[in-house]
Amino acid sequence: MFITQTSFARDIARDIKPDDPVPQVAVPDFTRLFKEASPAVVNISTLAKPKSRASIYGPGGEELPEIFRRYFGIPLPDAPSSSTPQPMSLGSGFIISSDGFILTNNHVVEGADEIIVKLSDRSETRAELVGSDKRSDLAVLKIDSKRPLPVVRLGDSDKAEPGQWVAAIGSPFNFEYSITKGIVSALNRSLPNDSYVPFIQTDVPINPGNSGGPLFNMKGEVIGINSQIFTRSGGFMGLSFAIPIDHAMWAVEQIKSKGYVTRGWLGVAIQEVDRELAESFGLEKPMGALINQVVPGGPADKAKLHPGDIITRFNDRAIYHSGSLPMRVGVVAPGDKASVEFIRNGKRMTTRVEVGQLPDENAERGGRPARKESAENRLGIQVAELDSDYRSKLRLDKDISGLVVTNVVSGVARAIGVRQGDVITDINKVRVDSVAVFEKTVKKLPVNRSISMRVIRQGQPGYITFRLTE
């Protein structure tokens, strides 16, 4: 038995005096959960034919990014000359049907030539990749068995609440069938590289090898798939992220039926509405998704949405943060119509939009023909040359020359508030109207002195200043 949060709070209010010691709350017993659920959890290993030179990102490797790194596998030296498949990665998964369908992360099996599944009775069998979805990091496997296999019970991730107990079962660092526990920390988290998944954030200890394993509620039901961690060391640091099982099963049904996942698409580039933007647009508080680009001929363009519109509701669901909009749009079937509520020039308006189908990843990154862009530089931004498309969408006069900011990565530009969609016309008193001039100018910028930059934002020009250090 353990005291629930509700009764605990009530007892404090009624019985605890200011000088009394804080009572200890018992941790729930996970023994029964583990006994009942663990037989349906599997260990997954993969093999790949050696390439001329290969390396797999692993925990703690210097080449891994500092945050939200994918965690699986071990570093490989130069591939041997032998054609024998070599170990590539380790992970977890769980059986979702007694005839052998298994759910795991795409990054656990991506690029594998052979997938080996180890069951709870320690038997091993080869698995077939039914299909995968890179955007949501999901993969469905199939194994053959002469007997019905144990399966997990699926829960309702929409009923998850911050503060509730959860547990993970998997193979961290290949220590098979390890269970760890914690609580749900937050819901509907949007991560930088995964804008189509409303992640469940937990403080459950998750490490390399847990990837693809189940996240259980106290009823022993799967409510998520452990997928990512926040780490600077390669190991657990208190922030873990799981794909909600409701979202996963929506993708699984498509993968099982056609081998891939289709998503809805609005055809806009968006950004977060911060306090300054909210004030400038006449909002009482920061909320919504600010459109900074509309793809020509896309669904939003056909619905007459414009750059500068702030989407506040989609299909009657509030959009509090910009990251939640792609999630809402993505689960709408292409061809279906959706309602969009937005603010334009301080007025609240509504429209109907016929949702399109999300293009492939290359088309998604901008949704426009290729144009010359700069690489990342000392300012931490990428820019592109203005063309008729950009001029139209940004409502710029033909006589304006400059470069449009397509990406703000880090560093000085982010610190001084440069935003995607800004048009840079001058840097350090030099007119920049081509990528070549821009790159040359940025390389020659002085250090430890004030530098001016002229920026046009939403049709309004202005100067901002910054300093570069050694």
Side-chain angles (χ1 to χ4, degrees):
M1 294 294 293
F2 62 97
I3 302 174
T4 65
Q5 290 181 323
T6 302
S7 63
F8 177 51
R10 187 169 56 245
D11 288 344
I12 288 180
R14 186 182 62 238
D15 300 326
I16 304 301
K17 298 178 181 178
D19 295 331
D20 287 344
V22 176
Q24 299 298 311
V25 181
V27 175
D29 187 353
F30 293 89
T31 306
R32 181 176 177 181
L33 185 156
F34 181 80
K35 288 181 179 179
E36 293 180 352
S38 62
V41 180
V42 302
N43 174 268
I44 298 173
S45 58
T46 61
L47 301 174
K49 293 178 181 178
K51 310 294 189 298
S52 58
R53 182 178 179 87
S55 63
I56 299 297
Y57 293 128
E62 293 182 358
E63 72 278 15
L64 290 177
E66 282 193 305
I67 62 173
F68 300 126
R69 67 186 72 188
R70 298 292 188 189
Y71 55 95
F72 70 99
I74 54 175
L76 287 178
D78 289 351
S81 57
S82 168
S83 61
T84 304
Q86 300 297 309
M88 189 182 77
S89 68
L90 297 169
S92 303
F94 52 96
I95 305 170
I96 57 175
S97 65
S98 60
D99 56 349
F101 282 98
I102 293 171
L103 187 55
T104 187
N105 283 145
N106 172 71
H107 73 258
V108 171
V109 298
E110 187 175 23
D113 294 307
E114 190 173 337
I115 303 171
I116 307 298
V117 170
K118 182 185 291 186
L119 303 176
S120 59
D121 62 3
R122 306 196 64 78
S123 63
E124 296 185 4
T125 183
R126 285 185 174 86
E128 170 196 357
L129 177 63
V130 177
S132 62
D133 180 46
K134 192 171 183 177
R135 286 191 174 100
S136 58
D137 194 23
L138 294 170
V140 178
L141 311 179
K142 178 69 167 62
I143 60 174
D144 294 325
S145 176
K146 296 180 180 178
R147 59 181 176 83
L149 296 170
V151 299
V152 296
R153 289 188 294 122
L154 302 181
D156 184 350
S157 52
D158 281 343
K159 294 181 179 179
E161 293 183 320
Q164 76 175 82
W165 286 103
V166 284
I169 299 177
S171 304
F173 298 108
N174 206 28
F175 288 102
E176 300 172 10
Y177 294 95
S178 297
I179 182 170
T180 53
K181 54 82 178 172
I183 62 170
V184 172
S185 302
L187 302 171
N188 297 313
R189 288 297 197 205
S190 175
L191 304 187
N193 297 320
D194 299 88
S195 58
Y196 293 97
V197 178
F199 285 98
I200 300 172
Q201 178 188 329
T202 76
D203 69 347
V204 178
I206 299 295
N207 284 291
N210 277 118
S211 193
L215 180 73
F216 294 97
N217 62 19
M218 288 309 297
K219 296 179 181 179
E221 300 169 332
V222 176
I223 61 169
I225 304 162
N226 299 308
S227 179
Q228 298 196 38
I229 56 174
F230 176 97
T231 179
R232 289 189 173 91
S233 65
F236 173 69
M237 291 185 67
L239 293 172
S240 306
F241 298 90
I243 303 165
I245 194 63
D246 293 353
H247 182 90
M249 294 309 296
W250 166 82
V252 165
E253 293 306 314
Q254 294 191 62
I255 293 174
K256 289 172 69 174
S257 63
K258 56 189 178 184
Y260 59 92
V261 176
T262 56
R263 285 182 170 81
W265 179 62
L266 204 53
V268 295
I270 57 175
Q271 69 183 74
E272 190 73 14
V273 178
D274 58 20
R275 182 171 56 84
E276 289 78 12
L277 277 173
E279 181 180 349
S280 69
F281 281 93
L283 300 179
E284 294 180 359
K285 60 181 180 180
M287 71 169 297
L290 172 60
I291 298 176
N292 56 40
Q293 182 185 345
V294 177
V295 176
D301 192 23
K302 294 177 181 178
K304 307 301 182 185
L305 290 169
H306 302 154
D309 292 344
I310 299 177
I311 297 177
T312 56
R313 298 185 72 85
F314 183 84
N315 259 357
D316 296 325
R317 300 193 68 173
I319 304 298
Y320 294 106
H321 301 282
S322 61
S324 63
L325 181 62
M327 303 174 195
R328 303 296 184 206
V329 177
V331 296
V332 177
D336 286 358
K337 291 190 175 182
S339 61
V340 178
E341 184 177 300
F342 61 97
I343 296 174
R344 176 183 295 170
N345 298 327
K347 296 180 180 179
R348 198 170 296 273
M349 308 172 71
T350 59
T351 188
R352 299 280 292 177
V353 58
E354 183 176 324
V355 175
Q357 181 172 326
L358 183 66
D360 60 42
E361 289 186 84
N362 290 329
E364 179 192 357
R365 294 190 188 108
R368 57 182 184 269
R371 48 169 68 87
K372 189 171 183 181
E373 293 193 1
S374 69
E376 187 181 344
N377 45 65
R378 295 169 71 194
L379 300 183
I381 59 174
Q382 289 179 284
V383 297
E385 295 179 359
L386 286 172
D387 57 15
S388 57
D389 177 22
Y390 272 137
R391 290 182 185 278
S392 174
K393 294 306 174 185
L394 297 174
R395 302 176 185 176
L396 297 175
D397 295 335
K398 292 182 179 180
D399 59 345
I400 292 178
S401 61
L403 301 170
V404 61
V405 177
T406 59
N407 192 20
V408 181
V409 183
S410 61
V412 173
R414 176 169 290 179
I416 63 176
V418 175
R419 298 170 185 156
Q420 189 180 47
D422 286 351
V423 175
I424 300 174
T425 64
D426 302 77
I427 299 178
N428 203 29
K429 302 178 183 179
V430 176
R431 179 69 57 86
V432 287
D433 52 8
S434 72
V435 169
V437 172
F438 172 83
E439 292 177 338
K440 183 178 179 180
T441 303
V442 171
K443 285 182 180 179
K444 293 182 177 180
L445 290 177
V447 297
N448 298 323
R449 54 161 288 200
S450 182
I451 300 169
S452 65
M453 180 164 64
R454 184 174 183 265
V455 175
I456 298 176
R457 177 175 297 164
Q458 297 174 4
Q460 299 298 318
Y463 282 90
I464 54 179
T465 60
F466 60 93
R467 291 175 182 267
L468 293 174
T469 57
E470 293 285 355

